Amino acid sequence: MTYIVNDKCIACKYTDCVEVCPVDCFYEGENMLVIHPDECIDCGVCEPECPADAIRPDTEPEAARWVEFNRKYSEMWPVIIAKKDPLPGAEERDGEEGKLEKYFSEKPGGDD
């Protein structure tokens, strides 16, 4: 098992999860985070830290597609190891439907 980040993270990008990860397996895109599935040690400490409920175990329905999504972008984006402020408007976008189609960016993060 591994944990994945799904589209609930898009346009919010809370980074509370990053601080508790013992293996630094989070990677930062312009407007979301992903978990490298081969680096995740399945400890689960990140899941309850996410205010947007975007971190889920890969055993849940719909999670399989997110494993490959997380793998793809974790190999393209820089690792993130320190907490940052969420994106502007994160609270308003928290829980919004269709964020993958509306807001997702393939650009790497880490420039702030």
Side-chain angles (χ1 to χ4, degrees):
M1 185 177 86
T2 188
Y3 284 82
I4 55 90
V5 179
N6 62 30
D7 57 341
K8 291 180 181 182
C9 183
I10 299 171
C12 292
K13 199 166 93 170
Y14 294 107
T15 58
D16 306 66
C17 52
V18 171
E19 282 196 318
V20 299
C21 181
V23 294
D24 299 333
C25 65
F26 281 89
Y27 291 79
E28 181 183 14
E30 180 179 41
N31 66 359
M32 79 174 291
L33 303 177
V34 293
I35 294 172
H36 194 300
D38 297 335
E39 295 173 4
C40 177
I41 60 170
D42 313 327
C43 68
V45 297
C46 59
E47 185 180 13
E49 297 299 318
C50 181
D53 195 32
I55 301 173
R56 309 303 306 160
D58 71 346
T59 54
E60 289 192 353
E62 299 294 316
R65 69 179 225 166
W66 291 104
V67 172
E68 289 312 311
F69 181 96
N70 278 243
R71 181 184 314 281
K72 175 182 177 179
Y73 291 102
S74 66
E75 292 174 358
M76 296 169 52
W77 293 345
V79 69
I80 178 173
I81 58 172
K83 184 176 177 176
K84 297 180 179 182
D85 290 335
L87 294 176
E91 288 185 19
E92 293 80 28
R93 291 214 161 84
D94 191 351
E96 185 177 329
E97 296 292 322
K99 294 198 304 182
L100 182 64
E101 297 77 20
K102 291 181 199 175
Y103 308 119
F104 177 69
S105 169
E106 290 190 339
K107 294 178 185 174
D111 292 336
D112 41 52

